[in-house]
Amino acid sequence: LNIGGTFEIVSRIGVGTKIIITLPQEKAPDWFVDTIKVSENTQLISIDDDVSIHNVWQDRISDIKDVLNLEYITFTSGQEFKTWLQKQNDQSKSSQIYLVDYELLNQKQTGLDLIEELGIANNSILVTSRYEEEIIRSRCEKLKIKLIPKAMACFVPIIEEKIKIKYDGVLMDDDSIIQLAWKISAQSNNKSILIFDNPNDFLKEIESIDPSTKLYVDSN
């Protein structure tokens, strides 16, 4: 096939015919959000004049809402959202994700106007049917905001992201004397460390460790 795939026919008399079509996976464009990652105690906030999109997100998170203690908040008015946000205590939740429509009908500001004015670009995703418009894409690129086509809201995976902990160090060493020496030193110097005596145990915990944590590995 011209796109790099394959087309295969496997047939056996008296058994049947199998047709196998293999297509290469297309790389998602840079502007596209292919996964929404939520952690425990996240506030998921939808700003859209279309109530049906709020219901879509509500259904999407129904299975994980209670498990992760997610709080789902909706606004159809940009002004109401601004008023609400200005009253919030930044420490009330560990994280916020803003799912913002671009075109808010009969309202003075677009979703991008709101994001820029409120300084929430780092936590925002633009969910819009107008994702193909170059002027909108260019502005999103400038603000470092990614997009989800509104028709894809039902399909973009929503997954749990474990909160990563920053330690002063991680030691991987099978020598119990070395391990004890590190523990004593860490306690004396008020340092936080993790100690593993084999790579498998380390790999089981790697998703919860901040990648900037220094790793000390025995050569043997």
Side-chain angles (χ1 to χ4, degrees):
L1 298 176
N2 292 336
I3 61 173
T6 61
F7 183 88
E8 183 181 3
I9 299 177
V10 180
S11 184
R12 293 177 60 188
I13 297 175
V15 176
T17 300
K18 180 188 295 185
I19 298 175
I20 304 170
I21 300 174
T22 305
L23 301 174
Q25 183 173 349
E26 181 69 19
K27 181 184 177 183
D30 291 339
W31 52 263
F32 179 66
V33 176
D34 56 3
T35 304
I36 298 175
K37 297 180 180 180
V38 296
S39 56
E40 193 172 358
N41 297 322
T42 294
Q43 283 182 326
L44 197 66
I45 302 153
S46 176
I47 303 97
D48 200 308
D49 59 295
D50 183 355
V51 176
S52 65
I53 197 68
H54 298 315
N55 296 332
V56 168
W57 294 121
Q58 178 70 55
D59 291 342
R60 295 294 316 281
I61 66 171
S62 59
D63 292 339
I64 60 174
K65 185 173 183 292
D66 293 335
V67 175
L68 296 179
N69 192 30
L70 300 182
E71 184 178 4
Y72 180 56
I73 305 169
T74 65
F75 296 93
T76 55
S77 163
Q79 184 57 50
E80 289 180 1
F81 167 63
K82 285 168 61 175
T83 301
W84 172 85
L85 187 63
Q86 290 162 358
K87 292 180 179 179
Q88 297 307 297
N89 177 358
D90 291 340
Q91 304 302 319
S92 61
K93 286 284 176 178
S94 61
S95 62
Q96 297 81 29
I97 299 175
Y98 305 101
L99 304 165
V100 188
D101 187 18
Y102 174 77
E103 189 174 22
L104 302 171
L105 295 178
N106 302 317
Q107 300 183 41
K108 293 181 179 180
Q109 292 181 298
T110 67
L112 282 177
D113 293 334
L114 286 171
I115 292 170
E116 188 168 14
E117 178 186 340
L118 297 170
I120 57 174
N122 289 341
N123 301 79
S124 296
I125 299 170
L126 195 69
V127 186
T128 177
S129 300
R130 298 174 59 179
Y131 65 95
E132 290 185 329
E133 297 182 25
E134 188 59 36
I135 190 169
I136 294 177
R137 288 241 199 114
S138 297
R139 191 173 174 194
C140 284
E141 184 176 356
K142 180 180 178 182
L143 294 171
K144 297 181 179 179
I145 299 170
K146 292 198 173 186
L147 301 93
I148 296 176
K150 191 166 283 191
M152 292 293 294
C154 295
F155 305 105
V156 174
I158 301 176
I159 64 173
E160 178 185 0
E161 181 179 45
K162 292 184 178 181
I163 297 176
K164 297 184 183 296
I165 302 173
K166 174 69 181 293
Y167 296 92
D168 292 306
V170 171
L171 172 68
M172 195 185 308
D173 196 308
D174 59 351
D175 188 328
S176 59
I177 295 177
I178 297 295
Q179 291 181 16
L180 180 60
W182 276 64
K183 287 179 182 178
I184 293 173
S185 179
Q187 292 173 355
S188 301
N189 293 280
N190 196 28
K191 299 293 184 180
S192 60
I193 64 168
L194 284 181
I195 297 177
F196 300 95
D197 58 16
N198 67 81
N200 290 333
D201 287 347
F202 166 68
L203 292 173
K204 290 177 183 177
E205 300 294 329
I206 195 170
E207 290 298 325
S208 65
I209 302 172
D210 188 292
S212 63
T213 298
K214 291 184 178 180
L215 178 63
Y216 303 88
V217 187
D218 182 17
S219 61
N220 185 10

